[in-house]
Structures are given as C-alpha cells and as structure tokens.
Amino acid sequence: MQRAVLWCSVVSVVLLVHFRCTDATGVLPSPGECGLYLSDRIYGGNITTVDAYTWTAILAFKEKGRSQDLYHCGGNLITNQYVLTAAHCLDDLDEDYNISYVRLGEWDLLSDKDCDRNSICNDPPVDVGIGKLIVHKGYNKHSLINDIALIKLKNPVEFTDFVSPICLPTAPKTKNKNTDKMVFTAVGWGNTEHKNSTYEYGSRYKLEVKLNGVNITYCKEVYDEDFLESQMCAGAEKGKDTCQGDSGGGLVAQVDGYYYEYGIVSWGRGCGQRDIPGVYTRVASYLDWIEDNIKNN
C-alpha cells in the first residue's frame, strides 16, 4: 500500500515574514505564516534545495531486534505541534514495532550537515518525540477509506527558515478549487516499503515531482472502485508518481504565492505507470476533523 516519489521541479520566490503559530481561531496558521517557499534557487534536476518544502516530515520507526531507525512514511507540519499524515502509516503498531519520533528540517539522510551544490547549508534536522497519535475513527485498513491521521508532537517546534508549516485550504477560494485542473507537487525521499527496509533503498535527498490532477470519474474507471468525494487522484503520467515509502506525505499546490496541502499520499496500483493515477486522501474533506482534534487534544 505504500507510496513513494519520482521527481521534477517547482518554481517560486523568496518570501520572508515573521512566523506566528496559529490563525485567528487559534488552530491553524494563516497564509504568510504557512505555505512559504523560501528558496529561489531552482535547478534542472530532481533534487530540491536544502530550504525547499520546509513542512516536510519523516516518520521514524523502531523495530525490535534492529538498532537502525526505519524511515517508512512521511507527513507535513501543519502547526507548531501537529503533523498531518496517513492513517495506514500507523497500522500494526505494537511493542515490537512502533513510531519513535518525527524528523523535521531534513534534506540529506546520509549527512549530519546538509549542504547543496551551491554550498548553501541548513540547520541540523530536528527530531521530536511523539505526544499522541490521532487516527480517524472511520479509517478502514482494507479499503483505506478515511486514510488520515494527526501526530501531536511531544513538544512544540520553533519555526525557522528550514522548519515551517504548510497551509491547509480553509478559505473558500482554496477549499472550493477544482482539483481536477490543478498541477500539484509531491515531495519525499522515495523511501522504502513499510516495515521492510530503510532509506538506503530510496533517495538520500529530498525529491520533488509535479503531478496533474485527475478526474475522479476516470479514476473510478481505472480502479473499478467506489471512490468517495473524500478521495482524489493525480498523476497517470509515465515515470512520474508517488510510490512505495512516501505514504502520508502531501500533495501540495501553490495558490496566490502560498503552498496548500490538498492531498495525502494514500495508495495506488504500481508506480509511475502510464494512465494509472495515484489515490490521495482529500484534505479539504477533513478540515473540520483536523481543527476539532487540534482543539481537543
């Protein structure tokens, strides 16, 4: 069921503002406090810059009998203490296999100090312990309906040029956009199959890919499934997709200069196959659930 990422690039501008942690409701950040793409250094390859997509998180797992941390899933920072991810990333957790921490501000998994080809370096990544796991009560591990979860971090994090939140599409202009006609970006390390191996089999660097939104009617035809409005599809272009290991990561798009998370990497048939889109949890369908759980946990 796991998904991972094959890649391209995205264009934006430098935006420097003072970060606050929440919006007027005290729950989610507002655009300008979230969704900032701080890098203006765009390369022609697949690898991002060290300061791109600063909301991207990695979930680290511990398995009995193994000393090495296992980086199996992704997520996105949405406040200073909450990460949005997929519910199926938290399947089958027990005393022998459990989530250990969330890593923020990472770029190169094999380097203690991350510097890109222009010798621009970021701060050391931040590992934050787990405060609480919140899985949607309607989640079905077989159909992957309601494949959404929140991770409350043990402690709030400080926003920097390398760690800051993604926006959620709460305003009518962003919430009601037709995602079939949008171009998205997915970001991750192309990690590995859940509970089976480590990042050594994926990319050591943070990668990105552009994916076109796909009509849900077409998605139903491809998969012969009863898709819900709470799901969405993207991709279907050969060689570009999300794939094994980046489950829980975000499908994001830029609107009026800020980045918003529209989808959560959920499932698909194979990776990067022509005419076969990936399936994502539609974030806009769960805004009330997200805000209620942040307020009450």
Side-chain angles (χ1 to χ4, degrees):
M1 291 294 185
Q2 300 300 310
R3 307 288 291 161
V5 183
L6 311 172
W7 325 103
C8 211
S9 64
V10 69
V11 179
S12 190
V13 295
V14 174
L15 296 169
L16 299 177
V17 302
H18 173 69
F19 288 114
R20 298 199 306 273
C21 295
T22 57
D23 64 7
T25 67
V27 178
L28 295 170
S30 300
E33 303 160 350
C34 60
L36 297 174
Y37 189 93
L38 297 177
S39 178
D40 64 350
R41 294 171 289 275
I42 303 301
Y43 306 141
N46 298 330
I47 300 173
T48 70
T49 56
V50 296
D51 53 357
Y53 311 112
T54 52
W55 45 81
T56 311
I58 305 175
L59 312 190
F61 295 81
K62 290 282 189 183
E63 187 172 18
K64 187 176 181 179
R66 301 188 66 163
S67 60
Q68 189 175 27
D69 295 331
L70 306 176
Y71 301 118
H72 283 150
C73 272
N76 277 348
L77 187 70
I78 59 171
T79 76
N80 66 339
Q81 201 168 3
Y82 282 86
V83 168
L84 186 63
T85 188
H88 80 262
C89 286
L90 307 179
D91 277 348
D92 303 322
L93 299 183
D94 54 33
E95 61 182 12
D96 294 331
Y97 177 76
N98 212 333
I99 184 169
S100 179
Y101 59 87
V102 173
R103 174 167 289 183
L104 301 166
E106 181 62 281
W107 183 68
D108 179 354
L109 285 166
L110 299 184
S111 173
D112 293 332
K113 184 176 182 179
D114 293 352
C115 299
D116 63 25
R117 68 183 74 180
N118 282 357
S119 298
I120 298 167
C121 303
N122 69 358
D123 298 335
V126 179
D127 293 343
V128 191
I130 306 301
K132 187 174 184 178
L133 302 178
I134 306 165
V135 176
H136 196 287
K137 291 182 179 180
Y139 166 63
N140 185 310
K141 66 184 297 182
H142 302 292
S143 65
L144 293 186
I145 298 299
N146 299 313
D147 190 10
I148 186 171
L150 285 168
I151 299 173
K152 184 178 183 180
L153 303 177
K154 188 174 183 179
N155 300 299
V157 297
E158 180 181 354
F159 295 156
T160 70
D161 285 349
F162 307 102
V163 176
S164 63
I166 182 74
C167 296
L168 299 187
T170 56
K173 181 176 181 179
T174 52
K175 181 179 180 179
N176 299 327
K177 288 186 74 67
N178 182 356
T179 56
D180 295 348
K181 300 182 182 300
M182 295 177 68
V183 178
F184 298 98
T185 301
V187 181
W189 283 261
N191 292 340
T192 54
E193 189 172 350
H194 193 46
K195 207 173 178 179
N196 190 39
S197 48
T198 71
Y199 64 82
E200 294 173 355
Y201 298 90
S203 168
R204 64 180 283 183
Y205 300 105
K206 186 188 294 187
L207 304 174
E208 60 188 347
V209 62
K210 285 186 177 179
L211 301 170
N212 293 319
V214 173
N215 185 284
I216 198 71
T217 301
Y218 175 77
C219 214
K220 290 178 180 179
E221 294 174 355
V222 170
Y223 285 107
D224 193 26
E225 298 275 352
D226 292 327
F227 279 87
L228 303 179
E229 291 299 317
S230 58
Q231 295 174 298
M232 58 183 292
C233 289
E237 182 179 349
K238 184 175 177 60
K240 294 183 178 182
D241 199 358
T242 53
C243 188
Q244 292 172 337
D246 279 321
S247 284
L251 192 68
V252 306
Q254 194 178 40
V255 181
D256 294 337
Y258 301 108
Y259 275 88
Y260 295 82
E261 181 170 2
Y262 280 90
I264 301 170
V265 182
S266 185
W267 62 280
R269 182 188 300 158
C271 303
Q273 299 185 56
R274 188 184 304 278
D275 301 327
I276 306 294
V279 182
Y280 300 79
T281 302
R282 188 183 297 273
V283 172
S285 298
Y286 294 92
L287 294 173
D288 289 344
W289 180 87
I290 292 169
E291 294 197 25
D292 288 346
N293 277 282
I294 291 176
K295 286 179 181 178
N296 298 317
N297 287 284

